[in-house]
Amino acid sequence: MTDPREEIVEHLSAMRAFAMSLTRNSALADDMVQDALVKAWTKIDSYQPGTNMRAWLFTILRNTYYSHHRKARREVSDVDGELSASLSQKPDHDGRLQMRDFNRAFDQLNVEQREALVLVGAGGFSYEEAAETCGVAVGTIKSRVNRARRQLTVLMQLNDDEVMEATDIVTSGIVANQRSVA
């Protein structure tokens, strides 16, 4: 009796033709044949000698094709990685840690600086409106806001080009470098 592995070679061209009829793509057909051959080679002991080798190989090839087809339906083509980049999300703990650091630094500012930041940054007041609310000159509010933001940057150990990723719109407004023309 001959080794069934030797008979596999006789069916390669028929397997490729069958794969081409399934996939209509020569590269994919070649991949399917190769995958089917690997499966057949590793499971050759399950082949029953004396039965139809071609039918056995075609069954493996067909099942390989259907498995590939089911898998491909669930996958999304993302060659450039744009889709996966849009789906990624920074861990939630980063925002909580930065918020904790921000709160500690914010508490270290003097009352006037905190008030100015809250009015201009979080409240959305113009410098003029904030100055009127506090009963001080516009330049005083601008100075307080500028010094407070600089102090927050130092306390939070941020670089000049580094942006804090705030977890809420209020904090974003406070730390944002908003400048209005006087």
Side-chain angles (χ1 to χ4, degrees):
M1 236 172 146
T2 62
D3 186 0
R5 288 180 181 94
E6 294 174 10
E7 188 182 344
I8 290 176
V9 178
E10 298 171 18
H11 303 287
L12 288 178
S13 61
M15 287 179 70
R16 184 163 192 297
F18 181 55
M20 278 296 294
S21 72
L22 292 173
T23 64
R24 300 194 187 338
N25 177 323
S26 63
L28 184 56
D30 290 342
D31 289 345
M32 291 291 142
V33 169
Q34 181 177 353
D35 290 347
L37 288 172
V38 168
K39 289 175 185 177
W41 194 267
T42 58
K43 299 290 185 183
I44 196 70
D45 48 332
S46 68
Y47 173 72
Q48 297 174 354
T51 60
N52 188 340
M53 170 69 79
R54 180 177 285 199
W56 185 71
L57 290 171
F58 276 39
T59 301
I60 293 172
L61 179 60
R62 182 180 51 88
N63 291 342
T64 300
Y65 169 74
Y66 286 130
S67 294
H68 173 78
H69 189 65
R70 278 190 304 273
K71 182 180 173 187
R73 262 192 311 199
R74 291 187 307 264
E75 293 179 352
V76 175
S77 179
D78 188 22
V79 178
D80 298 334
E82 289 180 27
L83 180 62
S84 61
S86 71
L87 296 175
S88 66
Q89 177 180 345
K90 292 185 70 84
D92 291 336
H93 68 275
D94 287 353
R96 285 194 301 271
L97 293 173
Q98 285 188 340
M99 191 64 183
R100 183 196 64 199
D101 293 345
F102 170 78
N103 286 331
R104 286 182 183 160
F106 190 73
D107 288 342
Q108 293 179 40
L109 299 176
N110 67 42
V111 175
E112 292 84 12
Q113 289 176 337
R114 286 196 308 256
E115 180 182 45
L117 277 179
V118 168
L119 288 173
V120 173
F125 285 76
S126 68
Y127 286 116
E128 291 77 15
E129 292 168 332
E132 186 178 323
T133 301
C134 294
V136 297
V138 174
T140 302
I141 288 293
K142 288 181 178 183
S143 178
R144 288 177 184 173
V145 169
N146 189 26
R147 276 188 263 126
R149 286 181 175 151
R150 227 178 310 130
Q151 184 68 16
L152 282 175
T153 302
V154 169
L155 291 171
M156 294 179 65
Q157 301 174 349
L158 298 173
N159 300 326
D160 289 339
D161 60 342
E162 190 174 2
V163 177
M164 178 182 160
E165 294 184 26
T167 57
D168 60 41
I169 195 161
V170 173
T171 309
S172 299
I174 290 173
V175 297
N177 191 6
Q178 300 173 352
R179 294 188 179 118
S180 68
V181 179

